[in-house]
Amino acid sequence: MKKICVIGAGASGMVAAISAARSGASVALYEKNAAVGRKILQTGNGKCNFTNEDMDTAYFRSSTESTLIKSVLSRFDEKDTINFFENLGIKKRVRNGGLYPYSETAVSIVDALSFELERLGVKIIFECPKIYIKKKGDGYDVSGTYYDAVIVATGGKTVPKSGSTGDGYWFAENFGLKVVKPLPALTQIKSSQKWFKDVAGVRVEAELSLYIDGSFVHKSHGELQLTDYGISGICTFEISGLVSRATDNGQKCRVEINLLPECTFKEALSMLEKRREIFAERSVGEMFTGLFNKKLSDMLIKEAGIKPQKKAGSLDDKELKKLAHISTQLIVEADGVNDFAKAQVTSGGVSLDELTEDMEAKKARGLFFVGEVVDVDGICGGYNLQWAWATGYLAGKAASID
Ligand SMILES: Cc1cc2nc3c(=O)[nH]c(=O)nc-3n(C[C@H](O)[C@H](O)[C@H](O)COP(=O)(O)OP(=O)(O)OC[C@H]3O[C@@H](n4cnc5c(N)ncnc54)[C@H](O)[C@@H]3O)c2cc1C
């Protein structure tokens, strides 16, 4: 019987331990916290969006072009995740393609995994002291105990309070593996533009276009939240990893916001032309009533350099063009993103070049890396947990094979 050590009892580690134990291994699971799955409890606003019906490699990013993501997701896809949890008693609830436990609480996911670990006799070492891993014979010495294989499931660096403080990178580097600089992703984008203070708290449906060093890179849609330090909301999160990496590289990031996402500039202009005519006697500010939140239109008018008291009917074509322009291409110069404490996932980590399709280090056979510690991050919607379950499951199985 193979002896396997899993480090980290988060999403990927618990599934790795279950998978290894189901494959007949004797498994020890080391966790620095006093409980398992602390971060899972925070996911999906406490409801845990554990996978998504719409699964595609396009929703995942890595610094390395590799077939590994595709290979992992084809061998353990969203249906496998649903089955895996159904077998543990988790009835699914589907919301806009996102899968949640029917109970609508992440506690159910953690409990279901804990019951299975117990059933399989996985030994959990809570509040473990700082661990070391050394090569020993065909296997590894983990803080004085011999194991045939080790699965590192220590997570990334996001929300360090949950226990994920980036220890896995250190383990990888000690074995000579390349680690892509970890940076915060799925988080807010910061900007020092002064007008943010005037629109803090406004939420608006928008389309964001990201430009890095002047070149278009990515578009996202959804509810945008304006804050006093920049932008937030799921559409912001979607581009935040790219902004994080680019600003860290010293590149310039510009986000263009279309506040009328169903309109092109031309369509917005013709709508404003009609409003100028119909509401000629109203002020420019009042001309926007019913189109934008007042805080937002006041800011747009100010930034367009137009006096808000001016009569709409007296706006000339140049001024109207400026208003249409700023409404469809409001420019945000991004300074960077919020830090790891506020981010949902880590971009970067153990390079895919270093790993086999079963997540085993090519340079250190028997040593596996799973979940967020690996240089793969997904967008919001259950993709990061899908990556954690899938890599954990495949590595647990592979590590147990003689
Ligand atoms: C607020 C928030 C909401 C999120 N919502 C979603 C969502 O709805 N859907 C989704 O798919 N993803 C979501 N995510 C992302 C998702 O939670 C993570 O990608 C996922 O938990 C990563 O799993 P993991 O096993 O790699 O790491 P983690 O779940 O972070 O687990 C790592 C574990 O390892 C332990 N550990 C670390 N170092 C050591 C060590 N040296 N010794 C022993 N133990 C150690 C930690 O204490 C921790 O328990 C969210 C993240 C956050 C922060």
Side-chain angles (χ1 to χ4, degrees):
M1 185 193 269
K2 272 203 164 184
K3 265 187 87 183
I4 292 178
C5 163
V6 180
I7 307 176
S12 61
M14 285 197 277
V15 171
I18 289 170
S19 165
R22 283 182 184 172
S23 305
S26 152
V27 185
L29 176 57
Y30 289 73
E31 169 55 53
K32 64 155 83 146
N33 290 327
V36 298
R38 194 179 269 182
K39 188 175 282 173
I40 298 175
L41 297 177
Q42 298 184 25
T43 59
N45 286 323
K47 294 184 177 176
C48 189
N49 179 191
F50 67 93
T51 189
N52 201 293
E53 285 182 333
D54 178 17
M55 197 51 61
D56 195 296
T57 51
Y59 303 137
F60 296 84
R61 287 199 195 106
S62 172
S63 322
T64 311
E65 285 242 7
S66 163
T67 53
L68 198 149
I69 301 176
K70 193 168 178 199
S71 164
V72 165
L73 295 174
S74 67
R75 287 177 298 140
F76 194 94
D77 64 13
E78 72 288 359
K79 292 185 203 76
D80 294 312
T81 296
I82 294 166
N83 282 339
F84 178 87
F85 281 106
E86 245 166 28
N87 288 333
L88 300 184
I90 302 290
K91 183 175 159 59
K92 68 180 189 216
R93 188 186 284 279
V94 188
R95 202 171 277 133
N96 295 327
L99 272 293
Y100 297 81
Y102 199 79
S103 60
E104 302 223 61
T105 166
V107 175
S108 300
I109 296 278
V110 175
D111 283 350
L113 291 168
S114 301
F115 297 150
E116 185 64 356
L117 288 167
E118 199 182 334
R119 187 186 73 81
L120 292 163
V122 171
K123 183 179 165 203
I124 309 181
I125 301 103
F126 288 110
E127 296 182 299
C128 67
K130 202 166 165 60
I131 287 169
Y132 67 77
I133 313 172
K134 280 192 210 152
K135 185 77 194 137
K136 188 175 180 190
D138 288 341
Y140 293 90
D141 167 3
V142 179
S143 297
T145 307
Y146 177 82
Y147 293 97
D148 297 299
V150 178
I151 301 174
V152 178
T154 46
K157 288 182 90 172
T158 41
V159 193
K161 272 199 297 194
S162 70
S164 318
T165 47
D167 298 5
Y169 310 129
W170 178 72
F171 294 134
E173 279 166 348
N174 277 350
F175 282 91
L177 311 189
K178 188 172 113 193
V179 173
V180 177
K181 184 175 177 184
L183 293 170
L186 294 191
T187 187
Q188 300 82 2
I189 293 176
K190 296 195 287 187
S191 170
S192 43
Q193 281 161 273
K194 294 211 167 52
W195 54 259
F196 275 108
K197 301 260 180 286
D198 301 328
V199 288
V202 172
R203 288 167 184 247
V204 59
E205 204 58 30
E207 179 185 81
L208 311 189
S209 303
L210 172 65
Y211 292 80
I212 297 179
D213 281 345
S215 303
F216 171 75
V217 179
H218 192 81
K219 239 185 219 325
S220 65
H221 300 252
E223 191 191 60
L224 176 74
Q225 294 172 27
L226 297 160
T227 71
D228 55 359
Y229 59 81
I231 52 175
S232 184
I234 288 177
C235 56
T236 301
F237 284 15
E238 188 174 326
I239 58 170
S240 62
L242 294 164
V243 171
S244 186
R245 182 88 30 212
T247 50
D248 189 69
N249 285 340
Q251 292 172 290
K252 270 203 163 320
C253 288
R254 183 177 88 237
V255 182
E256 286 187 5
I257 304 176
N258 186 348
L259 296 161
L260 296 166
E262 65 286 352
C263 291
T264 59
F265 164 77
K266 264 188 154 176
E267 288 162 345
L269 182 61
S270 90
M271 176 165 62
L272 293 183
E273 279 166 351
K274 277 189 204 128
R275 284 185 170 249
R276 174 174 64 179
E277 204 182 311
I278 303 167
F279 305 120
E281 289 309 311
R282 288 191 191 176
S283 69
V284 187
E286 289 162 351
M287 183 182 88
F288 279 97
T289 303
L291 196 57
F292 291 136
N293 175 303
K294 189 170 177 328
K295 269 194 197 176
L296 183 58
S297 51
D298 284 354
M299 179 278 279
L300 296 174
I301 294 163
K302 194 168 147 199
E303 288 299 305
I306 296 166
K307 288 207 168 65
Q309 313 86 324
K310 190 169 179 164
K311 283 261 180 332
S314 68
L315 286 169
D316 62 27
D317 287 350
K318 207 170 143 203
E319 287 172 318
L320 212 64
K321 271 189 185 152
K322 267 193 195 168
L323 289 170
H325 191 263
I326 201 162
S327 302
T328 52
Q329 272 170 278
L330 175 66
I331 290 174
V332 173
E333 303 291 354
D335 298 336
V337 301
N338 257 336
D339 60 19
F340 281 115
K342 297 227 171 64
Q344 288 197 4
V345 79
T346 309
S347 145
V350 178
S351 170
L352 294 184
D353 285 338
E354 302 285 4
L355 303 170
T356 68
E357 299 202 334
D358 284 325
M359 314 308 292
E360 187 173 9
K362 293 174 189 165
K363 289 178 190 148
R365 300 319 283 245
L367 180 65
F368 297 73
F369 290 85
V370 295
E372 205 177 307
V373 71
V374 177
D375 175 25
V376 172
D377 55 288
I379 61 170
C380 288
Y383 299 100
N384 289 297
L385 283 173
Q386 175 64 29
W387 176 252
W389 317 130
T391 50
Y393 187 87
L394 296 173
K397 205 166 157 197
S400 327
I401 293 168
D402 279 321

